[in-house]
Amino acid sequence: MIGVVLAMSLSFSPHAAPVALQNAAQSPAPEIPATKIPATRSPAMSHATGTFDVQITPVAPEPDAPAGAPGRMRLAKTFHGGLEGTGAGEMLAVREGQSGAYVALERVTGTLDGRSGGFALVHRGVMDANGQDLLITIAPGSGSGDLTGIGGVFHLTVADGEHRYDLEYSLPEVLP
């Protein structure tokens, strides 16, 4: 990865940017057609809470996978409460004794406080004997339908075998 970053930075010529800017300054600006863009108000944070059921299905490793390679799992969820819908995703995880880590991508589709659509969640979890650090965020730009423009954080707790969530989110409010 360092080699890729280094190769990318070496391929950039500091002299190319001034020439490109100079050429752009000499060219007439392209005409952009007028479009009506709805006015929006800065979104306030909202909360949707509830529970979800999750099914985690291991995916068999490739025949040539090295020993100790991350395990891969499929996720299937059903959400209840402020978020009614389903989630589908994939997770990669490693574990060694009491320590481990996982990453996952998940597509959620359903109704959030009366708005239909979908969005993607990005999971990052790390744990060791001292505790865990979990961050699940809505992927920027992933909202669709009535959930276009959504942003936020998915807070997860598990108590007595029950998975609970508090989705702290914001959506742009279109003004009339």
Side-chain angles (χ1 to χ4, degrees):
M1 182 65 163
I2 293 172
V4 172
V5 173
L6 183 58
M8 289 173 55
S9 64
L10 290 176
S11 67
F12 174 76
S13 168
H15 303 291
V19 170
L21 290 174
Q22 183 180 20
N23 290 342
Q26 293 172 358
S27 303
E31 190 170 313
I32 300 172
T35 57
K36 183 170 175 146
I37 299 172
T40 59
R41 185 177 321 176
S42 179
M45 295 307 281
S46 298
H47 289 264
T49 60
T51 62
F52 67 93
D53 305 310
V54 61
Q55 181 179 8
I56 300 173
T57 306
V59 175
E62 297 295 322
D64 59 347
R72 187 170 143 220
M73 283 131 293
R74 287 204 174 88
L75 305 172
K77 295 180 182 174
T78 303
F79 295 95
H80 313 281
L83 172 61
E84 290 284 338
T86 59
E90 290 205 16
M91 172 173 50
L92 292 174
V94 294
R95 183 158 186 158
E96 191 65 42
Q98 293 183 345
S99 298
Y102 89 95
V103 294
L105 294 174
E106 173 182 4
R107 184 76 189 166
V108 175
T109 306
T111 304
L112 175 61
D113 287 335
R115 297 182 184 198
S116 296
F119 54 89
L121 291 175
V122 179
H123 300 239
R124 178 209 166 272
V126 178
M127 64 178 253
D128 63 16
N130 297 318
Q132 65 180 7
D133 180 29
L134 178 61
L135 177 61
I136 306 171
T137 58
I138 297 174
S142 68
S144 64
D146 294 339
L147 302 178
T148 299
I150 191 169
V153 178
F154 185 96
H155 304 281
L156 163 68
T157 57
V158 181
D160 298 325
E162 182 177 62
H163 291 79
R164 301 196 63 73
Y165 68 86
D166 177 357
L167 179 59
E168 181 180 4
Y169 70 95
S170 65
L171 278 165
E173 182 180 335
V174 177
L175 301 175

